[in-house]
Amino acid sequence: MTVAQEPRQLPRPSTLQSPLSQSRETGDALPEKRPDGTTVTSKPAPVAKSWAHFVAGGLGGMTSTLLTSPLDVLKTRLQSTFYQDYLAASRAARGIPAPDTLPFARAALLHIRETFQILVAVPRAEGWRALFKGLGPNLVGVVPARAINFYAYGNGKRLYAHYLNNGRESASIHLLSAATAGIITGTATNPIWLVKTRLQLDKSRSEGPEGQGRQYRNALDCVRQTLRTEGIRGLYRGLSASYLGVTESTLQWVLYEQMKLYLATREQRLLSSGRDPTTWDQTVAWTGKLGAAGSAKFVA
């Protein structure tokens, strides 16, 4: 008595066995495996993953704002007339000439020394919390701006590559995605920066020699008065000027992507060579993307 054998399944076409091309930002570089070891050949569109850009951008903006808040306070104080007069009096008391009369190298060293002098004096005289003054308004502006920018850039890159370049990324795709992200971010966050600027100017006027009272009680009152007197267009004053800043963020993204590509190529060459990583290779692996991000921002 013979047992009927199950018909053997024909092998699937090779076209179904190749992994789908995915963006480095929204998908995995290697195909996923099922528990039985077979390759996952079709996956739903990574809609959920696309929101990772939004969350990562917001968290990154919050972290960077927290860490650099003392430097932001320092920058604002160095720009103020009060501290410029204080530094000038301090130089005169020590017999140091004005920086514009010194050679470039000596003037730069003097500026660095005076900068650290203020950075040390602020927490000593006012407490460490003084280094974080204005952190709240900065977070209100920076966190949504970075979240929207990362979301628009990451997903714009995926869509532009899919519809315009057969799923492949390139410098032109990065350029187009960064410009689109900058325009979307500027449009979405312009009311936030306008309200912040008007509140800062309103506070300066109330504390100035004229002694004028404050026009706005808070941010919500500023929005209400702007809408009542200027309409919705009032919240978008200065938008055309903010679009000029898109060039900076676009250049930053393009440079960063090219640096990341160089780092990935370098790592691939190292793996292909089979040699053991040196101390320099390990340093580049750990700090490469951080250095690339900082260098791109500095140049832009």
Side-chain angles (χ1 to χ4, degrees):
M1 183 175 180
T2 59
V3 179
Q5 296 181 349
E6 295 183 359
R8 295 177 60 187
Q9 293 183 350
L10 296 176
R12 300 183 120 188
S14 59
T15 55
L16 295 179
Q17 294 178 353
S18 60
L20 296 175
S21 60
Q22 299 183 41
S23 169
R24 295 196 308 270
E25 299 294 334
T26 57
D28 300 324
L30 298 176
E32 293 184 3
K33 299 286 185 180
R34 295 190 180 95
D36 59 1
T38 58
T39 301
V40 177
T41 57
S42 62
K43 295 171 59 179
V47 176
K49 282 188 176 182
S50 68
W51 287 98
H53 299 293
F54 189 86
V55 176
L59 292 176
M62 180 177 64
T63 303
S64 63
T65 303
L66 285 169
L67 295 177
T68 61
S69 180
L71 299 178
D72 190 63
V73 171
L74 180 63
K75 179 193 71 174
T76 303
R77 298 203 176 194
L78 285 173
Q79 291 172 338
S80 68
T81 305
F82 173 80
Y83 275 89
Q84 288 298 322
D85 293 341
Y86 166 77
L87 292 175
S90 177
R91 293 190 208 104
R94 292 179 295 168
I96 300 176
D100 54 359
T101 62
L102 297 174
F104 175 79
R106 188 179 174 190
L109 290 175
L110 177 63
H111 177 65
I112 293 173
R113 187 175 66 182
E114 291 177 341
T115 299
F116 279 98
Q117 178 183 343
I118 294 178
L119 187 61
V120 173
V122 168
R124 183 182 301 166
E126 307 173 44
W128 64 269
R129 292 188 179 183
L131 294 175
F132 295 90
K133 285 185 177 180
L135 179 60
N138 276 337
L139 288 175
V140 170
V142 171
V143 171
R146 299 309 297 167
I148 294 171
N149 189 264
F150 269 66
Y151 180 81
Y153 176 74
N155 290 282
K157 185 170 59 172
R158 177 172 58 88
L159 293 174
Y160 283 135
H162 177 73
Y163 289 107
L164 301 180
N165 203 33
N166 297 321
R168 295 190 301 271
E169 294 182 14
S170 63
S172 59
I173 294 297
H174 299 153
L175 180 67
L176 188 58
S177 303
T180 303
I183 293 174
I184 293 175
T185 304
T187 305
T189 60
N190 194 80
I192 298 175
W193 299 116
L194 180 130
V195 170
K196 177 187 174 183
T197 302
R198 290 194 173 185
L199 289 176
Q200 288 176 333
L201 294 175
D202 190 38
K203 183 178 180 181
S204 299
R205 283 194 297 267
S206 66
E207 296 176 351
E210 296 84 359
Q212 300 175 355
R214 299 190 64 168
Q215 180 180 356
Y216 308 112
R217 294 192 299 271
N218 48 45
L220 182 59
D221 183 54
C222 180
V223 173
R224 288 174 177 171
Q225 290 194 40
T226 302
L227 290 174
R228 185 170 59 249
T229 59
E230 305 174 50
I232 190 67
R233 296 182 63 180
L235 293 176
Y236 289 91
R237 289 186 178 275
L239 181 60
S240 58
S242 69
Y243 283 160
L244 296 177
V246 172
T247 56
E248 184 266 341
S249 61
T250 300
L251 182 59
Q252 178 187 350
W253 274 118
V254 172
L255 289 174
Y256 176 62
E257 290 286 359
Q258 294 304 307
M259 292 178 186
K260 276 207 313 182
L261 179 61
Y262 167 77
L263 292 172
T265 304
R266 186 182 188 278
E267 183 177 358
Q268 187 62 40
R269 286 201 306 264
L270 177 62
L271 293 175
S272 301
S273 66
R275 65 178 177 85
D276 294 332
T278 63
T279 303
W280 173 248
D281 293 328
Q282 294 175 351
T283 302
V284 171
W286 280 96
T287 63
K289 288 188 178 180
L290 179 64
S295 300
K297 180 67 174 179
F298 177 78
V299 174

